[in-house]
Amino acid sequence: MAGLSTTRDQGMGGVYLGMRSRRAIQHTVAYLLIAAMLVIALMPLAWMFGTAFETVEQTRITVPIQWIPNPVTFENYVKGWATRDWLHYLRNTVFLAVFVGVPTMLSCTLAAYAFARMKFPGSEALMLLNISLMLIPDQVTLVPRFVMMARMGWVGTWLPAIIPSMLALNPAMVFVLRQFFRAIPNDLSDAARIDGCHDLGIFWRIVLPLSRPILALQIVLITSWAWNELLFALLYLKDKSMQTLTLAMQGFIGIREDTAWGQMMAMSVLMSLPMMVLAYYGQRYFTEGFTLSGIKG
Amino acid sequence: MLPFVFILPWILGVLLFQAYPILDAFYHSFTIYDVFQPAKWVGLRNYRNLFENTYTRMALLNTLLYVAVSVPGGLIVGLLQALLLNVKVRGLQLFRTLAIVPGTVPAAGAAAVSVFIWSPGLGLINSILEWLGLPWRQSWIIDPVMVKWIFIFMTIQGGIGMLIFLAGLQNVPQELYDASKMDGARSVQTLFSVTLPMLTPYTLFNLLTSLIGAFQYFTAPMLMTGGGPAGGSTFYAQIIYENAFVFFRMGHAAALAWILFVICVVIVFAVFRSSASWVYYEGGN
C-alpha cells in the first residue's frame, strides 16, 4: 500500500502506477477474503473455547454473545473430568492408533515397495486391483467381516484391529507409498547395488530414510483416524475396557434442557488439543507428502 | 522370490478381508440370516422389501441429497480456500496454519460443538440472529428437514481436499504463469486457462474420494442426532449398521451393502469415463 505514494513521484507515469495500485487492491481484496474465510472457519472453535471457560449462568446468557468469558472459570474442566475415567479412554484410543498403525505401516511399506521397484508377473494388474479397492466403501464388507471375526472369537480382543492391519488392509496407503517409492531415482539404488547392497538393504538403507515425510504423513493420518473413528469402535470395542474417546463422547453429547454445555465443550477442547498439536507439527509433511505422493497418476 | 514375500500379506488381505466378504455379502443378500441360525434362501425378497420400506427409501434419498450437494460444494469451497491461501501475501504461513485448525478437531468434538451451535435454546446461530434483531429463530437441529441441511453445511468446509488442492497449486510450473502474463492474459483468464486445467488431476482425486466418503457418511449423524428427528438425518451407512447389528437382519444389510457397491461402481466408472475429456495430464499421460 505504501507503493501508491512513492510511485506517484516517478516519471514513468500512469502504466506503472496502474500496475502497482492494481496489485495493492488485489492484495487488499485477498486479505479481506482470507479474513472472512478464517472468521467463518474459526467461529465454532472460538465458541467452543469460550464456553468451556464459562459458568453455567454465563452460558445461559445468549445475547449479547460473550466470546471471551469474564470471569474465566475452570469448573467445567473439573466437573467434566470427574464424570468418567477419561484417561482410560485416552489409553484405548492410543492403543487403537498403535495396534492399527504399526502393523499397517510395516505391511503396506513392504507391499508398496514390491509394487514400485520390483519386477514380478501380474504386478500391473494387481496394482489396478488395489486402486479399485480404494474406491469400495467399507460398509460393503462390514457385515461378513464382523461375522468372520466373531466366528474366530476375536470380538472383544484387539485382534480385529491388529490382524487385518498386518495384511496391508489399507489400499490407499499402499497406493500413495508406491507412488512415492517410484519417484525415488534409480541411480541411488543402482549405485548401492554396485557397492554390493541387496534388495533388502536398498529398501532399508536408501528407500525408507528418503521416505520419511510420507511415512510421517501416514502416522499423522492413522493417529487422527483413531481419534475420529466410530464405526469400528461400535462393532469391536464395545466392551467397557476397550472403549475409545469417541465412544465416551457419544454418551456425553445430547440436546436436552439440562445439557451441561460448558462441560461438553471443555471435554471437546481436551480431546482436540492432541490433534491440534499433531497437525501443527505435521503440517509441513502434508504439503510435502501430497506434493510428492503423485496423485497425478 | 523376494517380491512375493513382500506382497504376500497384501494378497492374503485382499482375499480374506475384501474378496471373500464381498462375495459372502452377495450370497447372503438372497437369504434371511441372523447369525444364530443357518441362512435361509429367499431369492430377491430382501431387495424387494428394501424398495418398499419407507425408512430405507428416506435414508437413500437423504444420502443422495447429501452427496449431490456436499460433494460439489466441498470441492468448490476447498478450491476457493486453496486459491486464497496461495496468494502471496504477508503472513501467509500463519493463515495456512489457522485454516488447518478447524479440520483437526476430532469428530466427537466437532459433533459436540455443532450440536451446541445449532441447538434451538442456547445455540450460537439463534443467539446471533437475536443479537442482530432478525426474526429468523428456528428449531434447526430438532427440525426433521433442516437437520439434513445442517449436516450438508457442516461437511462443506475445505478440509483435506483443500490441502490436496494447495499441494496441486505448488506443482503448477511458474513458466506457464509467466507465459500467460506475456500473452497479456488477465488474472481471471489465467485462472481458467492455466490454473484450473493444471489442477484437474487433483480435482479428479478429490471428486472420487469425496464421493465415496459421502456415501459412507456415518460418524457425525450418529454422534449428533442418532439419525433423528423422525429419520431426518438418517443416512445410508446408518441403516446398514442398524439392520446388521441392532436388528440382526444380516440378509437385509447385505442387500443394502450390495446396492451401495453397485451405486459406487457405476459412479466411479462414469467419472473415469468422463475424466478423459476434462482431466489434463501434463505430458499426455
Side-chain angles (χ1 to χ4, degrees):
Chain A
M1 294 236 212
L4 271 177
S5 55
T6 49
T7 45
R8 195 161 289 159
D9 315 325
Q10 289 172 1
M12 284 289 288
V15 182
Y16 198 68
L17 172 70
M19 274 185 57
R20 269 289 184 100
S21 62
R22 202 201 290 163
R23 264 202 93 160
I25 291 169
Q26 278 176 354
H27 271 203
T28 315
V29 172
Y31 268 120
L32 287 176
L33 288 174
I34 291 174
M37 176 185 101
L38 289 179
V39 166
I40 294 172
L42 292 170
M43 197 149 48
L45 273 183
W47 177 254
M48 171 167 103
F49 274 88
T51 311
F53 293 98
E54 278 177 357
T55 61
V56 180
E57 289 71 38
Q58 283 170 298
T59 312
R60 283 221 190 89
I61 304 164
T62 57
V63 178
I65 296 167
Q66 266 204 338
W67 292 100
I68 299 162
N70 179 31
V72 168
T73 168
F74 286 90
E75 77 175 54
N76 290 322
Y77 289 90
V78 177
K79 283 189 183 157
W81 187 259
T83 55
R84 50 204 79 193
D85 188 0
W86 294 100
L87 282 179
H88 168 79
Y89 298 112
L90 174 67
R91 192 201 62 180
N92 286 338
T93 311
V94 174
F95 275 2
L96 180 62
V98 172
F99 288 153
V100 169
V102 173
T104 305
M105 299 273 291
L106 282 172
S107 56
C108 288
T109 339
L110 287 179
Y113 183 74
F115 276 125
R117 303 179 74 92
M118 293 171 144
K119 284 200 178 66
F120 61 96
S123 72
E124 290 288 313
L126 290 180
M127 195 61 224
L128 211 63
L129 176 64
N130 184 75
I131 293 172
S132 346
L133 291 177
M134 281 166 66
L135 300 170
I136 294 178
D138 288 339
Q139 269 94 13
V140 174
T141 51
L142 187 75
V143 179
R145 257 188 222 175
F146 181 82
V147 174
M148 205 160 113
M149 305 274 190
R151 288 257 155 80
M152 308 276 235
W154 289 353
V155 178
T157 72
W158 287 101
L159 289 174
I162 300 169
I163 303 292
S165 308
M166 284 167 63
L167 300 181
L169 207 71
N170 190 334
M173 194 195 286
V174 172
F175 174 71
V176 169
L177 289 175
R178 174 253 195 180
Q179 296 296 91
F180 193 93
F181 293 159
R182 246 183 14 167
I184 294 172
N186 273 322
D187 314 3
L188 285 174
S189 44
D190 290 347
R193 191 158 289 140
I194 290 165
D195 291 343
C197 203
H198 288 291
D199 276 331
L200 265 177
I202 293 170
F203 173 65
W204 191 251
R205 296 217 189 94
I206 296 179
V207 174
L208 277 192
L210 283 172
S211 310
R212 234 173 261 150
I214 197 81
L215 295 175
L217 175 63
Q218 300 305 326
I219 292 174
V220 172
L221 290 179
I222 289 177
T223 314
S224 89
W225 172 83
W227 244 261
N228 282 288
E229 153 58 39
L230 178 67
L231 185 55
F232 183 87
L234 278 174
L235 296 192
Y236 298 106
L237 310 177
K238 254 199 327 222
D239 194 80
K240 191 100 203 306
S241 65
M242 300 166 80
Q243 287 183 359
T244 57
L245 283 171
T246 310
L247 277 181
M249 281 295 289
Q250 192 189 17
F252 211 61
I253 298 170
I255 326 166
R256 293 175 309 271
E257 276 307 306
D258 61 339
T259 301
W261 296 109
Q263 291 178 30
M264 213 161 106
M265 294 304 106
M267 294 304 106
S268 302
V269 167
L270 287 186
M271 187 183 175
S272 305
L273 283 179
M275 286 303 99
M276 291 183 179
V277 173
L278 186 72
Y280 181 76
Y281 288 105
Q283 62 172 323
R284 68 196 179 96
Y285 298 119
F286 273 97
T287 342
E288 237 176 304
F290 284 131
T291 315
L292 300 173
S293 62
I295 284 161
K296 294 177 84 173
Chain B
M1 208 43 219
L2 197 58
F4 284 103
V5 176
F6 276 28
I7 214 157
L8 188 66
W10 180 87
I11 290 179
L12 284 176
V14 170
L15 291 177
L16 277 175
F17 294 112
Q18 303 271 23
Y20 166 73
I22 291 175
L23 294 176
D24 182 88
F26 187 62
Y27 168 73
H28 278 118
S29 72
F30 300 106
T31 65
I32 290 180
Y33 183 43
D34 65 358
V35 197
F36 307 110
Q37 279 152 19
K40 206 177 106 209
W41 186 269
V42 291
L44 284 170
R45 205 169 87 191
N46 285 332
Y47 289 94
R48 222 178 308 128
N49 282 352
L50 291 177
F51 285 108
E52 283 162 8
N53 185 327
T54 45
Y55 191 55
T56 310
R57 268 214 307 267
M58 183 149 77
L60 185 60
L61 287 178
N62 281 345
T63 308
L64 290 177
L65 175 77
Y66 175 80
V67 171
V69 182
S70 79
V71 169
L75 282 183
I76 291 169
V77 170
L79 178 64
L80 288 178
Q81 288 189 345
L83 287 171
L84 268 180
L85 292 173
N86 202 42
V87 182
K88 304 283 176 282
V89 292
R90 208 167 289 163
L92 185 63
Q93 209 46 53
L94 174 69
F95 297 147
R96 282 187 184 170
T97 307
L98 284 175
I100 295 171
V101 172
T104 64
V105 176
V113 183
S114 306
V115 165
F116 190 17
I117 287 177
W118 297 100
S119 83
L122 304 171
L124 177 65
I125 300 295
N126 271 349
S127 304
I128 290 181
L129 289 175
E130 198 175 306
W131 189 38
L132 295 174
L134 296 169
W136 297 335
R137 286 181 67 104
Q138 302 287 346
S139 35
W140 303 120
I141 200 157
I142 53 171
D143 181 289
V145 177
M146 272 179 211
V147 72
K148 318 180 207 305
W149 291 96
I150 292 175
F151 283 108
I152 290 172
F153 181 81
M154 272 175 64
T155 314
I156 302 184
Q157 279 170 7
I160 213 148
M162 184 268 279
L163 288 173
I164 290 174
F165 276 129
L166 200 55
L169 285 169
Q170 313 313 307
N171 276 0
V172 181
Q174 185 61 36
E175 303 99 79
L176 289 180
Y177 287 128
D178 295 343
S180 170
K181 208 174 204 171
M182 293 270 279
D183 291 344
R186 312 177 106 249
S187 333
V188 180
Q189 285 172 318
T190 310
L191 175 69
F192 280 100
S193 54
V194 176
T195 316
L196 293 186
M198 290 302 286
L199 276 183
T200 46
Y202 299 86
T203 315
L204 176 66
F205 181 86
N206 277 340
L207 175 63
L208 285 174
T209 49
S210 59
L211 268 173
I212 302 302
F215 274 106
Q216 303 184 60
Y217 195 49
F218 179 77
T219 306
M222 276 302 272
L223 287 172
M224 287 170 60
T225 59
S233 61
T234 304
F235 295 95
Y236 202 79
Q238 187 186 332
I239 59 170
I240 295 184
Y241 166 77
E242 283 180 354
N243 269 296
F245 302 108
V246 180
F247 310 129
F248 293 103
R249 290 195 298 227
M250 301 291 179
H252 263 87
L256 284 168
W258 254 80
I259 293 172
L260 178 67
F261 180 55
V262 171
I263 291 177
C264 287
V265 167
V266 168
I267 288 181
V268 167
F269 187 72
V271 170
F272 265 121
R273 276 301 287 272
S274 81
S275 73
S277 64
W278 62 269
V279 175
Y280 172 79
Y281 287 106
E282 210 183 351
N285 181 8

